[in-house]
């Protein structure tokens, strides 16, 4: 069985890219076999990336739409290092009476940005990936019944093949409608809510305006970057026509689906899917404040910011700007 080591040796052989090394006693920094031989019959990460380049940054494309991913990196700190200790005296969420302090009676209700929650969870964000689309029913019904916030992620309108546009702005997206309506069908209207996350492409396409005015969405979440990487969100597109459509809608699609050589290579089966990337923002304080005001004028009742794992200086800046702009959470 493959194991992940605390050093970097795992980087050259990962199940996420289907790579393996010839021997197990590999270099701790690179994961390279101590003797890298000419006749090697194995495909390690170094070998694979030699042939496929940055395409290998993405986990096995074959599983796009049929998988979700986790990281193999051992950060040296995980939940097993945290121990939640309870308090002997007093109680939270229940009257401190031994006859009432029975665990099923405890309330974990809370409030975030003025939204009441039955439990402190805001789930998401599930955007334009096939996984999010296919499993939306379970997510929406579960979140609505649980009384928590569910977030529709970025690019849903832009990737929806049935979206309708007028002057570059979205006027209808059946997929977005379906997602919002399904949550509402099972929602008690009191606990939790459905939020819509918007990134640069969404803003350009007028997704905020569309969801707030036409679908009466209460919560808009501005997206700054990605959780694990400073590149935009990525999906895989397995049809040339769809790849061209997404490029024309303003996305970065790699390789360029309008290049005749790329088209021929795709038709010849040299590669099986295109990458669709979205942009990462570079926010400025004054713009953020104006943007939040604009969203409120549009009718958004709750405005939130979602950001990735950036440097401490950026986290501090985000907190300051979010506070000045009076975002809700
Ligand atoms: S190519 Fe070299 S480093 Fe990679 S598995 Fe083969 S011997 Fe090891």
């Amino acid at each position: 069985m493959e194991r992940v080591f605390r050093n970097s040796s795992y980087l050259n052989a990962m199940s996420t890219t289907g790579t393996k090394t010839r021997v197990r006693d590999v270099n701790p920094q690179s994961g390279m076999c101590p003797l890298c031989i000419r006749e090697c019959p194995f495909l390690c990460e170094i070998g694979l990336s030699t042939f496929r380049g940055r395409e290998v940054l993405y986990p096995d494309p074959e599983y796009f739409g049929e998988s979700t991913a986790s990281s193999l990196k051992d950060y040296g700190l995980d939940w097993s290092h945290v121990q939640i200790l309870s308090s002997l005296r007093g109680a939270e969420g229940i009257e401190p009476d031994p006859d009432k302090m029975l665990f099923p009676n405890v309330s974990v209700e809370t409030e975030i940005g003025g939204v009441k929650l039955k439990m402190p969870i805001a789930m998401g964000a599930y955007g334009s990936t096939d996984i999010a689309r296919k499993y939306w029913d379970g997510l929406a019904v579960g979140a609505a019944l649980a009384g928590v916030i569910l977030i529709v992620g970025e690019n849903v309108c832009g990737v929806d093949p049935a979206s309708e546009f007028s002057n570059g702005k979205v006027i209808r997206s059946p997929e977005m409608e379906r997602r919002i309506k399904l949550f509402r069908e099972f929602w008690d209207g009191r606990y939790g809510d459905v939020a819509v996350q918007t990134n640069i492409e969404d803003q350009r396409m007028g997704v905020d305006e569309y969801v707030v005015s036409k679908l009466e969405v209460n919560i808009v979440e501005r997206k700054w970057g990605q959780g694990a990487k400073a590149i935009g969100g990525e999906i895989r597109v397995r049809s040339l026509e769809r790849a061209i459509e997404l490029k024309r809608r303003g996305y970065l699609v790699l390789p360029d689906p309008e290049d005749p050589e790329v088209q021929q290579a795709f038709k010849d089966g040299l590669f099986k899917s295109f990458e669709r990337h979205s942009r990462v923002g570079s926010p400025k304080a004054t713009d953020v404040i104006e943007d939040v005001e604009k969203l409120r004028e549009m009718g958004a009742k709750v405005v939130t910011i979602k950001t990735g794992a950036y440097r401490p200086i950026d986290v501090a800046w985000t907190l300051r700007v979010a506070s000045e702009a009076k975002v809700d959470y």
Side-chain angles (χ1 to χ4, degrees):
M1 189 176 142
E2 298 300 331
R3 305 297 303 172
V4 177
F5 298 104
R6 289 198 64 175
N7 57 39
S8 298
S9 60
Y10 73 93
L11 287 168
N12 197 27
M14 296 188 279
S15 58
T16 46
T17 50
T19 47
K20 284 193 176 357
T21 49
R22 185 176 61 84
V23 295
R24 291 176 71 86
D25 56 335
V26 294
N27 179 294
Q29 278 89 43
S30 64
M32 192 171 159
C33 303
L35 278 178
C36 178
I37 60 170
R38 187 167 185 264
E39 301 79 15
C40 175
F42 288 83
L43 191 60
C44 63
E45 188 82 10
I46 297 171
L48 181 62
S49 50
T50 305
F51 288 112
R52 308 301 300 199
R54 66 179 171 213
E55 192 185 299
V56 184
L57 287 171
Y58 192 87
D60 193 338
E62 287 303 306
Y63 292 110
F64 174 75
E66 306 293 340
S67 63
T68 186
S70 65
S71 164
L72 285 169
K73 182 170 174 175
D74 182 345
Y75 289 86
L77 182 70
D78 61 58
W79 295 111
S80 72
H81 296 102
V82 178
Q83 183 69 39
I84 299 173
L85 298 172
S86 59
S87 173
L88 173 65
R89 293 160 297 150
E92 299 282 340
I94 190 83
E95 220 182 296
D97 171 343
D99 288 326
K100 293 183 181 152
M101 288 159 64
L102 302 166
F103 81 90
N105 298 339
V106 175
S107 164
V108 289
E109 269 187 43
T110 188
E111 204 179 289
I112 173 170
V115 182
K116 286 173 92 176
L117 303 173
K118 278 192 198 154
M119 57 183 95
I121 292 175
M123 290 175 27
Y126 305 95
S128 55
T129 63
D130 276 356
I131 281 285
R133 181 181 54 74
K134 284 186 197 164
Y135 297 98
W136 184 257
D137 293 13
L139 293 165
V141 175
L145 294 177
V148 301
I149 292 174
L150 176 63
I151 302 142
V152 179
E154 58 196 353
N155 299 318
V156 170
C157 298
V159 169
D160 181 356
S163 282
E164 294 165 26
F165 294 86
S166 169
N167 297 322
K169 304 286 179 195
V170 65
I171 51 170
R172 184 161 181 259
S173 159
E175 176 60 14
M176 182 64 90
E177 273 178 24
R178 176 183 82 89
R179 295 199 190 192
I180 305 294
K181 277 184 187 156
L182 190 62
F183 179 91
R184 295 238 167 97
E185 225 175 280
F186 291 84
W187 182 42
D188 68 2
R190 294 192 306 132
Y191 289 95
D193 205 340
V194 62
V196 172
Q197 182 186 89
T198 51
N199 65 1
I200 293 184
E201 283 84 1
D202 292 313
Q203 278 177 258
R204 288 182 184 169
M205 288 177 204
V207 172
D208 306 309
E209 194 132 30
Y210 165 62
V211 298
V212 170
S213 63
K214 295 225 174 110
L215 305 181
E216 294 174 359
V217 164
N218 297 316
I219 310 173
V220 175
E221 179 173 285
R222 274 284 187 258
K223 174 78 176 283
W224 291 358
Q226 294 283 320
K229 59 200 186 300
I231 60 173
E234 179 179 334
I235 61 166
R236 289 270 156 180
V237 182
R238 295 196 174 104
S239 120
L240 179 60
E241 293 68 35
R242 284 278 291 138
I244 293 172
E245 181 185 50
L246 292 175
K247 185 185 171 192
R248 290 185 181 161
R249 285 184 182 181
Y251 289 108
L252 170 66
V253 180
L254 296 174
D256 182 356
E258 289 183 309
D259 180 332
E261 281 186 21
V262 169
Q263 294 183 352
Q264 194 54 51
F266 182 74
K267 284 173 192 159
D268 292 344
L270 295 181
F271 68 101
K272 296 192 168 50
S273 60
F274 292 86
E275 300 167 16
R276 185 242 54 195
H277 295 272
S278 50
R279 292 164 179 78
V280 284
S282 180
K284 295 189 186 72
T286 44
D287 297 352
V288 174
I289 294 167
E290 274 173 33
D291 182 44
V292 172
E293 279 168 9
K294 217 173 108 198
L295 285 170
R296 293 201 195 281
E297 279 163 23
M298 245 180 235
K301 295 193 178 77
V302 177
V303 180
T304 80
I305 291 177
K306 156 119 178 248
T307 185
Y310 287 106
R311 291 174 183 162
I313 194 166
D314 294 315
V315 175
W317 184 87
T318 301
L319 290 172
R320 201 190 73 210
V321 173
S323 162
E324 279 171 22
K326 297 191 172 56
V327 302
D328 297 283
Y329 69 89

